[in-house]
Amino acid sequence: MEEVAKKGIKEGAKKLQRLKDVTDFAIAWVMQRSWEGHAVPLDAPTIRMLKRLAVLDATETDPETLRSSAEHFIPKAKDLEFTDAASLIADQYCREVNPTCSKCPLLADCTHGQQDSKTITTKAKKAK
C-alpha cells in the first residue's frame, strides 16, 4: 500500500478500483484512513441517514457521486470525526426498519425524523 500511496492518492485509488470486489466504500476508507486523503466512506446506513437529512439527493444512487457530494460539505479536517459519528448515528437511530427518530440527536434537523415522530405520536394517541 505504501508504494501505491507514494504515486499519489488519485493514482492509488485508480489501482484499487481495478481489484476484484473492491467497493467505493473500501477505496474511500483506505484513502481517508491510510493515505490521509479527503475521502468520506459512505456505507448504506450512512447514505440513508444523509438522504433523510436532505444532505444528499434522495434520488441519486451512484456511490461515487454520493461520496463526492458529501465531501463537498465536510471539511477534510473533520472527515474522520464525521465518518465515525455518522456511522454511529446511522446504526443506533437511523435504521431502515424501526428507526428511533424521536431519540436521535439530529431530530431537529431531520424532516424525515420529525414526520416519523409525529406519526408515532399520532398512532399512540389513537391507541389510547
Side-chain angles (χ1 to χ4, degrees):
M1 286 299 216
E2 287 180 29
E3 185 179 317
V4 173
K6 287 178 186 177
K7 293 183 179 182
I9 293 173
K10 288 187 180 186
E11 188 62 35
K14 287 178 185 176
K15 288 188 182 254
L16 287 175
Q17 286 174 334
R18 293 182 202 134
L19 299 174
K20 185 178 179 185
D21 298 327
V22 174
T23 64
D24 187 73
F25 176 86
I27 293 168
W29 185 267
V30 169
M31 288 174 65
Q32 181 191 64
R33 303 287 169 142
S34 298
W35 300 337
E36 298 178 2
H38 184 46
V40 178
L42 297 175
D43 57 1
T46 303
I47 291 170
R48 178 180 53 250
M49 180 191 73
L50 292 174
K51 285 183 174 185
R52 287 178 176 174
L53 287 165
V55 173
L56 297 178
D57 179 355
T59 62
E60 184 60 61
T61 58
D62 178 56
E64 191 172 339
T65 301
L66 291 167
R67 183 174 47 79
S68 294
S69 295
E71 289 168 358
H72 176 75
F73 293 107
I74 302 158
K76 182 184 180 335
K78 298 285 186 181
D79 64 1
L80 286 169
E81 185 179 343
F82 170 82
T83 300
D84 292 342
S87 293
L88 182 67
I89 290 170
D91 181 54
Q92 289 185 353
Y93 305 102
C94 199
R95 296 183 295 269
E96 188 167 0
V97 178
N98 298 323
T100 54
C101 298
S102 62
K103 296 178 184 177
C104 181
L106 300 177
L107 179 61
D109 298 313
C110 182
T111 55
H112 178 273
Q114 292 167 9
Q115 290 171 351
D116 190 56
S117 293
K118 286 179 186 176
T119 302
I120 291 169
T121 303
T122 304
K123 285 180 181 179
K125 285 180 182 178
K126 288 181 179 179
K128 289 181 181 181

